[in-house]
Amino acid sequence: TVSENGFPITKTYFSIVHPIVTFSDSGRNFNFDSGYTVGFPTGINFLQSEKVAFSLEFVPFISAEDGTSKVSGLLFHPGVIYRNIAGFNFLTRLAYNTNGRYGITAVINRPIVKRDKVNYFLATPIPIRFGNELPTSVTFAFQFGILF
């Protein structure tokens, strides 16, 4: 049922995420150093109030290296959105990737253009990953998206 203030509300989105740099015990790795990886986060947000939402996101990643490209993993990325904090949104997500890595992701998100039926946003995801016999890693990324 819908409450007096219009909640819950369902929104969908599509975005592009570019990992910038990853830090681990193996050192620092910049995207573009030996190849390029890009992701396409697609999801649905269930807004419960002006302050809280639940989000389900799927992110296929494509990697290109040495003249060839491939899907390098599909990330299942559920989480909670803490909304409208001084004009920003803060997201906490769990991360389960078909490439064998798992972890958590913190995201700072800001709407940059708001329209009646569509919003454009910028985000800074910070994934922390474990598993698949690789060292723990922390990545900083840039994301641009459209919320419908």
Side-chain angles (χ1 to χ4, degrees), residues 10-15 110-121 144-148:
T10 302
K11 297 283 188 171
T12 58
Y13 64 93
F14 175 78
S15 57
R110 179 165 175 86
I112 54 170
V113 176
K114 290 185 175 186
R115 301 281 186 239
D116 287 339
K117 297 188 182 203
V118 67
N119 290 343
Y120 299 90
F121 65 89
F144 172 75
I146 302 170
L147 179 78
F148 305 94

PDB file of all heavy atoms in Angstrom, residues 10-15 110-121 144-148:
ATOM      1  N   THR A  10       9.167   3.111  -6.525  1.00  0.00           N
ATOM      2  CA  THR A  10      10.150   2.276  -7.209  1.00  0.00           C
ATOM      3  C   THR A  10      10.785   3.078  -8.341  1.00  0.00           C
ATOM      4  O   THR A  10      10.082   3.704  -9.126  1.00  0.00           O
ATOM      5  CB  THR A  10       9.477   1.013  -7.775  1.00  0.00           C
ATOM      6  OG1 THR A  10       8.851   0.306  -6.702  1.00  0.00           O
ATOM      7  CG2 THR A  10      10.488   0.116  -8.454  1.00  0.00           C
ATOM      8  N   LYS A  11      12.114   3.060  -8.402  1.00  0.00           N
ATOM      9  CA  LYS A  11      12.874   3.747  -9.459  1.00  0.00           C
ATOM     10  C   LYS A  11      13.865   2.752 -10.060  1.00  0.00           C
ATOM     11  O   LYS A  11      14.374   1.873  -9.369  1.00  0.00           O
ATOM     12  CB  LYS A  11      13.654   4.941  -8.899  1.00  0.00           C
ATOM     13  CG  LYS A  11      12.801   6.038  -8.312  1.00  0.00           C
ATOM     14  CD  LYS A  11      12.184   6.854  -9.404  1.00  0.00           C
ATOM     15  CE  LYS A  11      11.473   8.067  -8.851  1.00  0.00           C
ATOM     16  NZ  LYS A  11      11.049   8.968  -9.897  1.00  0.00           N
ATOM     17  N   THR A  12      14.142   2.906 -11.344  1.00  0.00           N
ATOM     18  CA  THR A  12      15.156   2.079 -11.998  1.00  0.00           C
ATOM     19  C   THR A  12      16.276   2.981 -12.513  1.00  0.00           C
ATOM     20  O   THR A  12      16.087   4.186 -12.674  1.00  0.00           O
ATOM     21  CB  THR A  12      14.561   1.280 -13.174  1.00  0.00           C
ATOM     22  OG1 THR A  12      13.984   2.195 -14.101  1.00  0.00           O
ATOM     23  CG2 THR A  12      13.510   0.300 -12.694  1.00  0.00           C
ATOM     24  N   TYR A  13      17.435   2.396 -12.773  1.00  0.00           N
ATOM     25  CA  TYR A  13      18.551   3.198 -13.270  1.00  0.00           C
ATOM     26  C   TYR A  13      19.492   2.359 -14.118  1.00  0.00           C
ATOM     27  O   TYR A  13      19.513   1.129 -14.052  1.00  0.00           O
ATOM     28  CB  TYR A  13      19.322   3.857 -12.123  1.00  0.00           C
ATOM     29  CG  TYR A  13      19.990   2.883 -11.195  1.00  0.00           C
ATOM     30  CD1 TYR A  13      21.298   2.488 -11.388  1.00  0.00           C
ATOM     31  CD2 TYR A  13      19.306   2.348 -10.111  1.00  0.00           C
ATOM     32  CE1 TYR A  13      21.911   1.587 -10.538  1.00  0.00           C
ATOM     33  CE2 TYR A  13      19.904   1.459  -9.251  1.00  0.00           C
ATOM     34  CZ  TYR A  13      21.202   1.077  -9.467  1.00  0.00           C
ATOM     35  OH  TYR A  13      21.804   0.175  -8.627  1.00  0.00           O
ATOM     36  N   PHE A  14      20.264   3.080 -14.912  1.00  0.00           N
ATOM     37  CA  PHE A  14      21.344   2.512 -15.707  1.00  0.00           C
ATOM     38  C   PHE A  14      22.529   3.450 -15.584  1.00  0.00           C
ATOM     39  O   PHE A  14      22.359   4.669 -15.590  1.00  0.00           O
ATOM     40  CB  PHE A  14      20.945   2.375 -17.181  1.00  0.00           C
ATOM     41  CG  PHE A  14      22.083   1.900 -18.041  1.00  0.00           C
ATOM     42  CD1 PHE A  14      22.439   0.565 -18.041  1.00  0.00           C
ATOM     43  CD2 PHE A  14      22.810   2.777 -18.814  1.00  0.00           C
ATOM     44  CE1 PHE A  14      23.499   0.118 -18.811  1.00  0.00           C
ATOM     45  CE2 PHE A  14      23.867   2.347 -19.592  1.00  0.00           C
ATOM     46  CZ  PHE A  14      24.212   1.010 -19.591  1.00  0.00           C
ATOM     47  N   SER A  15      23.718   2.889 -15.477  1.00  0.00           N
ATOM     48  CA  SER A  15      24.898   3.741 -15.341  1.00  0.00           C
ATOM     49  C   SER A  15      26.128   3.057 -15.931  1.00  0.00           C
ATOM     50  O   SER A  15      26.087   1.902 -16.334  1.00  0.00           O
ATOM     51  CB  SER A  15      25.130   4.107 -13.869  1.00  0.00           C
ATOM     52  OG  SER A  15      25.269   2.947 -13.078  1.00  0.00           O
ATOM     53  N   ARG A 110      25.536  11.736  -5.880  1.00  0.00           N
ATOM     54  CA  ARG A 110      24.892  13.057  -5.876  1.00  0.00           C
ATOM     55  C   ARG A 110      24.123  13.258  -7.176  1.00  0.00           C
ATOM     56  O   ARG A 110      24.703  13.144  -8.253  1.00  0.00           O
ATOM     57  CB  ARG A 110      25.919  14.158  -5.735  1.00  0.00           C
ATOM     58  CG  ARG A 110      25.278  15.555  -5.744  1.00  0.00           C
ATOM     59  CD  ARG A 110      26.242  16.594  -5.242  1.00  0.00           C
ATOM     60  NE  ARG A 110      25.708  17.920  -5.348  1.00  0.00           N
ATOM     61  CZ  ARG A 110      24.938  18.513  -4.438  1.00  0.00           C
ATOM     62  NH1 ARG A 110      24.581  17.852  -3.371  1.00  0.00           N
ATOM     63  NH2 ARG A 110      24.535  19.745  -4.606  1.00  0.00           N
ATOM     64  N   PRO A 111      22.831  13.562  -7.072  1.00  0.00           N
ATOM     65  CA  PRO A 111      22.088  13.938  -8.277  1.00  0.00           C
ATOM     66  C   PRO A 111      22.657  15.253  -8.816  1.00  0.00           C
ATOM     67  O   PRO A 111      22.908  16.179  -8.052  1.00  0.00           O
ATOM     68  CB  PRO A 111      20.658  14.140  -7.780  1.00  0.00           C
ATOM     69  CG  PRO A 111      20.599  13.489  -6.438  1.00  0.00           C
ATOM     70  CD  PRO A 111      21.985  13.525  -5.888  1.00  0.00           C
ATOM     71  N   ILE A 112      22.882  15.320 -10.135  1.00  0.00           N
ATOM     72  CA  ILE A 112      23.435  16.558 -10.706  1.00  0.00           C
ATOM     73  C   ILE A 112      22.412  17.310 -11.548  1.00  0.00           C
ATOM     74  O   ILE A 112      22.506  18.517 -11.689  1.00  0.00           O
ATOM     75  CB  ILE A 112      24.720  16.297 -11.527  1.00  0.00           C
ATOM     76  CG1 ILE A 112      24.477  15.241 -12.596  1.00  0.00           C
ATOM     77  CG2 ILE A 112      25.864  15.905 -10.615  1.00  0.00           C
ATOM     78  CD1 ILE A 112      25.607  15.092 -13.586  1.00  0.00           C
ATOM     79  N   VAL A 113      21.436  16.577 -12.120  1.00  0.00           N
ATOM     80  CA  VAL A 113      20.348  17.210 -12.864  1.00  0.00           C
ATOM     81  C   VAL A 113      19.066  16.476 -12.490  1.00  0.00           C
ATOM     82  O   VAL A 113      18.983  15.253 -12.636  1.00  0.00           O
ATOM     83  CB  VAL A 113      20.568  17.122 -14.395  1.00  0.00           C
ATOM     84  CG1 VAL A 113      19.375  17.705 -15.142  1.00  0.00           C
ATOM     85  CG2 VAL A 113      21.852  17.824 -14.800  1.00  0.00           C
ATOM     86  N   LYS A 114      18.079  17.215 -12.007  1.00  0.00           N
ATOM     87  CA  LYS A 114      16.795  16.616 -11.646  1.00  0.00           C
ATOM     88  C   LYS A 114      15.716  17.126 -12.578  1.00  0.00           C
ATOM     89  O   LYS A 114      15.555  18.329 -12.748  1.00  0.00           O
ATOM     90  CB  LYS A 114      16.426  16.969 -10.196  1.00  0.00           C
ATOM     91  CG  LYS A 114      17.293  16.303  -9.166  1.00  0.00           C
ATOM     92  CD  LYS A 114      16.780  16.600  -7.771  1.00  0.00           C
ATOM     93  CE  LYS A 114      17.555  15.841  -6.734  1.00  0.00           C
ATOM     94  NZ  LYS A 114      16.977  16.005  -5.394  1.00  0.00           N
ATOM     95  N   ARG A 115      15.004  16.200 -13.187  1.00  0.00           N
ATOM     96  CA  ARG A 115      13.876  16.507 -14.068  1.00  0.00           C
ATOM     97  C   ARG A 115      12.640  15.793 -13.515  1.00  0.00           C
ATOM     98  O   ARG A 115      12.740  14.991 -12.598  1.00  0.00           O
ATOM     99  CB  ARG A 115      14.153  16.029 -15.493  1.00  0.00           C
ATOM    100  CG  ARG A 115      15.380  16.649 -16.118  1.00  0.00           C
ATOM    101  CD  ARG A 115      15.063  18.055 -16.609  1.00  0.00           C
ATOM    102  NE  ARG A 115      16.188  18.597 -17.340  1.00  0.00           N
ATOM    103  CZ  ARG A 115      16.814  19.702 -16.997  1.00  0.00           C
ATOM    104  NH1 ARG A 115      16.442  20.380 -15.955  1.00  0.00           N
ATOM    105  NH2 ARG A 115      17.826  20.142 -17.710  1.00  0.00           N
ATOM    106  N   ASP A 116      11.501  16.032 -14.126  1.00  0.00           N
ATOM    107  CA  ASP A 116      10.271  15.395 -13.658  1.00  0.00           C
ATOM    108  C   ASP A 116      10.338  13.871 -13.704  1.00  0.00           C
ATOM    109  O   ASP A 116       9.953  13.201 -12.762  1.00  0.00           O
ATOM    110  CB  ASP A 116       9.069  15.866 -14.483  1.00  0.00           C
ATOM    111  CG  ASP A 116       8.657  17.285 -14.159  1.00  0.00           C
ATOM    112  OD1 ASP A 116       9.015  17.769 -13.057  1.00  0.00           O
ATOM    113  OD2 ASP A 116       7.980  17.912 -14.993  1.00  0.00           O
ATOM    114  N   LYS A 117      10.836  13.327 -14.803  1.00  0.00           N
ATOM    115  CA  LYS A 117      10.802  11.871 -14.980  1.00  0.00           C
ATOM    116  C   LYS A 117      12.176  11.207 -14.982  1.00  0.00           C
ATOM    117  O   LYS A 117      12.260   9.988 -15.018  1.00  0.00           O
ATOM    118  CB  LYS A 117      10.072  11.531 -16.271  1.00  0.00           C
ATOM    119  CG  LYS A 117       8.628  11.974 -16.213  1.00  0.00           C
ATOM    120  CD  LYS A 117       7.857  11.469 -17.386  1.00  0.00           C
ATOM    121  CE  LYS A 117       6.438  11.997 -17.255  1.00  0.00           C
ATOM    122  NZ  LYS A 117       5.463  11.259 -17.947  1.00  0.00           N
ATOM    123  N   VAL A 118      13.235  12.005 -14.953  1.00  0.00           N
ATOM    124  CA  VAL A 118      14.575  11.425 -15.013  1.00  0.00           C
ATOM    125  C   VAL A 118      15.551  12.294 -14.216  1.00  0.00           C
ATOM    126  O   VAL A 118      15.421  13.515 -14.202  1.00  0.00           O
ATOM    127  CB  VAL A 118      15.037  11.253 -16.487  1.00  0.00           C
ATOM    128  CG1 VAL A 118      15.225  12.593 -17.152  1.00  0.00           C
ATOM    129  CG2 VAL A 118      16.284  10.420 -16.592  1.00  0.00           C
ATOM    130  N   ASN A 119      16.474  11.637 -13.528  1.00  0.00           N
ATOM    131  CA  ASN A 119      17.558  12.326 -12.818  1.00  0.00           C
ATOM    132  C   ASN A 119      18.887  11.783 -13.327  1.00  0.00           C
ATOM    133  O   ASN A 119      19.014  10.588 -13.597  1.00  0.00           O
ATOM    134  CB  ASN A 119      17.492  12.078 -11.311  1.00  0.00           C
ATOM    135  CG  ASN A 119      16.322  12.754 -10.652  1.00  0.00           C
ATOM    136  OD1 ASN A 119      15.716  13.662 -11.203  1.00  0.00           O
ATOM    137  ND2 ASN A 119      15.983  12.298  -9.465  1.00  0.00           N
ATOM    138  N   TYR A 120      19.884  12.651 -13.426  1.00  0.00           N
ATOM    139  CA  TYR A 120      21.242  12.250 -13.775  1.00  0.00           C
ATOM    140  C   TYR A 120      22.082  12.348 -12.508  1.00  0.00           C
ATOM    141  O   TYR A 120      21.925  13.288 -11.730  1.00  0.00           O
ATOM    142  CB  TYR A 120      21.817  13.165 -14.860  1.00  0.00           C
ATOM    143  CG  TYR A 120      21.003  13.117 -16.129  1.00  0.00           C
ATOM    144  CD1 TYR A 120      19.940  13.981 -16.330  1.00  0.00           C
ATOM    145  CD2 TYR A 120      21.302  12.190 -17.114  1.00  0.00           C
ATOM    146  CE1 TYR A 120      19.183  13.930 -17.490  1.00  0.00           C
ATOM    147  CE2 TYR A 120      20.556  12.128 -18.286  1.00  0.00           C
ATOM    148  CZ  TYR A 120      19.494  13.003 -18.461  1.00  0.00           C
ATOM    149  OH  TYR A 120      18.741  12.947 -19.600  1.00  0.00           O
ATOM    150  N   PHE A 121      22.978  11.374 -12.303  1.00  0.00           N
ATOM    151  CA  PHE A 121      23.766  11.395 -11.073  1.00  0.00           C
ATOM    152  C   PHE A 121      25.223  11.037 -11.326  1.00  0.00           C
ATOM    153  O   PHE A 121      25.564  10.379 -12.309  1.00  0.00           O
ATOM    154  CB  PHE A 121      23.166  10.448 -10.023  1.00  0.00           C
ATOM    155  CG  PHE A 121      23.198   8.982 -10.397  1.00  0.00           C
ATOM    156  CD1 PHE A 121      24.292   8.194 -10.086  1.00  0.00           C
ATOM    157  CD2 PHE A 121      22.126   8.393 -11.043  1.00  0.00           C
ATOM    158  CE1 PHE A 121      24.323   6.849 -10.419  1.00  0.00           C
ATOM    159  CE2 PHE A 121      22.135   7.054 -11.383  1.00  0.00           C
ATOM    160  CZ  PHE A 121      23.241   6.279 -11.069  1.00  0.00           C
ATOM    161  N   PHE A 144      28.644   7.384 -13.645  1.00  0.00           N
ATOM    162  CA  PHE A 144      27.667   8.349 -14.156  1.00  0.00           C
ATOM    163  C   PHE A 144      26.424   7.572 -14.527  1.00  0.00           C
ATOM    164  O   PHE A 144      26.509   6.508 -15.150  1.00  0.00           O
ATOM    165  CB  PHE A 144      28.200   9.073 -15.391  1.00  0.00           C
ATOM    166  CG  PHE A 144      27.162   9.930 -16.063  1.00  0.00           C
ATOM    167  CD1 PHE A 144      26.788  11.142 -15.511  1.00  0.00           C
ATOM    168  CD2 PHE A 144      26.519   9.504 -17.215  1.00  0.00           C
ATOM    169  CE1 PHE A 144      25.827  11.935 -16.112  1.00  0.00           C
ATOM    170  CE2 PHE A 144      25.556  10.279 -17.829  1.00  0.00           C
ATOM    171  CZ  PHE A 144      25.199  11.503 -17.276  1.00  0.00           C
ATOM    172  N   GLY A 145      25.241   8.062 -14.122  1.00  0.00           N
ATOM    173  CA  GLY A 145      24.038   7.307 -14.407  1.00  0.00           C
ATOM    174  C   GLY A 145      22.791   8.132 -14.598  1.00  0.00           C
ATOM    175  O   GLY A 145      22.770   9.345 -14.383  1.00  0.00           O
ATOM    176  N   ILE A 146      21.731   7.413 -15.006  1.00  0.00           N
ATOM    177  CA  ILE A 146      20.410   7.991 -15.244  1.00  0.00           C
ATOM    178  C   ILE A 146      19.409   7.192 -14.430  1.00  0.00           C
ATOM    179  O   ILE A 146      19.341   5.961 -14.544  1.00  0.00           O
ATOM    180  CB  ILE A 146      20.045   7.916 -16.747  1.00  0.00           C
ATOM    181  CG1 ILE A 146      21.106   8.647 -17.575  1.00  0.00           C
ATOM    182  CG2 ILE A 146      18.671   8.499 -16.985  1.00  0.00           C
ATOM    183  CD1 ILE A 146      20.956   8.430 -19.067  1.00  0.00           C
ATOM    184  N   LEU A 147      18.615   7.903 -13.615  1.00  0.00           N
ATOM    185  CA  LEU A 147      17.584   7.293 -12.780  1.00  0.00           C
ATOM    186  C   LEU A 147      16.228   7.629 -13.388  1.00  0.00           C
ATOM    187  O   LEU A 147      15.936   8.798 -13.659  1.00  0.00           O
ATOM    188  CB  LEU A 147      17.678   7.850 -11.356  1.00  0.00           C
ATOM    189  CG  LEU A 147      16.676   7.360 -10.347  1.00  0.00           C
ATOM    190  CD1 LEU A 147      17.065   5.976  -9.853  1.00  0.00           C
ATOM    191  CD2 LEU A 147      16.614   8.327  -9.172  1.00  0.00           C
ATOM    192  N   PHE A 148      15.409   6.592 -13.612  1.00  0.00           N
ATOM    193  CA  PHE A 148      14.086   6.784 -14.213  1.00  0.00           C
ATOM    194  C   PHE A 148      12.999   6.617 -13.174  1.00  0.00           C
ATOM    195  O   PHE A 148      13.047   5.771 -12.349  1.00  0.00           O
ATOM    196  CB  PHE A 148      13.840   5.751 -15.318  1.00  0.00           C
ATOM    197  CG  PHE A 148      14.903   5.733 -16.366  1.00  0.00           C
ATOM    198  CD1 PHE A 148      15.966   4.860 -16.292  1.00  0.00           C
ATOM    199  CD2 PHE A 148      14.848   6.618 -17.425  1.00  0.00           C
ATOM    200  CE1 PHE A 148      16.946   4.833 -17.276  1.00  0.00           C
ATOM    201  CE2 PHE A 148      15.829   6.609 -18.416  1.00  0.00           C
ATOM    202  CZ  PHE A 148      16.872   5.701 -18.327  1.00  0.00           C
TER     203      PHE A 148
END
